[in-house]
Amino acid sequence: MTRGGWVALMLCCGAVSVEAAEPEVADCDFRWECQVGAHGFSVAFDSASGECTEDDMTAVVETSGGKTGLPLEKAWYGSIANVADGKSVCRVAGAKGSVGGGVSAFAVDDRRALVFFTRDDRPGYEWVGVALIDAATGKVLDVKQRLGQSKERVVAILKTPRGFKLQLIREHLKGVQCDCSAAFADDWMAVDVVNGRIHARWMR
């Protein structure tokens, strides 16, 4: 399940263009069903109004033992389709096809998972975030709500020897005099789990 974000271009010197495509119709109440080793859990997103554009979505992690709130600011959230080489441990509930087609969520070990998501920032680019979840207890061990922004609506999250990497906007090139994506330079960000916490860093 891929949520339609607002595609927008930013002006140089920090101004933001108003040229944005209308978002696709999206389901603001959805659930990801996940399995890490012997442990099953789900992540459920809910909009109080039922309207994505109200930016009022909240999320909870559910296990057989109960529910735990995912500590995110109220906003419009969505999935990142798994288009790369990692095997996703989650899928959108009710979706047809192979597991992980609509969600980028990956096992860290036999009981923890990194679950990636998007956050709308219209009329700017979408933010990419990630949560570290204990699949056995449903406890949210760590969250990074804003790793960085992505110019693309399809984000490839690739495996590395230590964790994962993805391309995000690193720099606004103020010398580029155009209202275009060329004014924003991407770079590789590594996302690893170190001492039980999410560690994000630019790779060069």
Side-chain angles (χ1 to χ4, degrees):
M1 169 180 171
T2 302
R3 177 178 59 79
W6 285 54
V7 180
L9 301 176
M10 302 178 184
L11 293 171
C12 296
C13 304
V16 179
S17 170
V18 296
E19 297 181 5
E22 288 295 323
E24 299 171 1
V25 175
D27 183 355
C28 298
D29 299 326
F30 57 90
R31 176 186 302 271
W32 300 334
E33 297 176 339
C34 312
Q35 186 75 33
V36 178
H39 309 293
F41 70 97
S42 64
V43 183
F45 287 82
D46 177 72
S47 166
S49 66
E51 298 291 336
C52 299
T53 52
E54 290 300 315
D55 297 307
D56 60 358
M57 294 173 68
T58 58
V60 295
V61 180
E62 301 180 18
T63 66
S64 58
K67 299 181 180 181
T68 302
L70 191 57
L72 300 175
E73 298 171 359
K74 290 184 178 180
W76 178 0
Y77 293 99
S79 305
I80 297 175
N82 182 27
V83 297
D85 57 356
K87 181 178 180 182
S88 181
V89 298
C90 298
R91 63 172 295 161
V92 177
K96 297 180 180 179
S98 61
V99 173
V103 186
S104 288
F106 309 103
V108 175
D109 50 34
D110 61 0
R111 65 177 288 158
R112 296 179 299 169
L114 283 171
V115 180
F116 291 85
F117 53 86
T118 61
R119 170 179 170 156
D120 189 273
D121 194 36
R122 61 190 183 283
Y125 294 117
E126 289 186 338
W127 287 93
V128 174
V130 64
L132 178 63
I133 296 173
D134 185 322
T137 65
K139 183 178 180 180
V140 180
L141 304 174
D142 197 11
V143 176
K144 301 291 184 187
Q145 295 192 54
R146 300 187 181 194
L147 291 173
Q149 290 177 293
S150 174
K151 291 187 292 188
E152 303 296 331
R153 296 170 68 183
V154 176
V155 182
I157 301 170
L158 299 158
K159 292 195 302 182
T160 68
R162 295 180 55 188
F164 301 89
K165 68 178 182 179
L166 65 162
Q167 286 195 325
L168 298 171
I169 296 172
R170 182 170 185 175
E171 185 180 3
H172 174 201
L173 306 174
K174 296 183 179 180
V176 178
Q177 301 299 314
C178 72
D179 178 11
C180 61
S181 62
F184 298 87
D186 287 344
D187 207 344
W188 287 105
M189 174 172 283
V191 178
D192 310 313
V193 175
V194 180
N195 296 324
R197 307 287 289 182
I198 298 169
H199 180 61
R201 59 181 176 81
W202 295 110
M203 296 185 72
R204 58 179 184 271

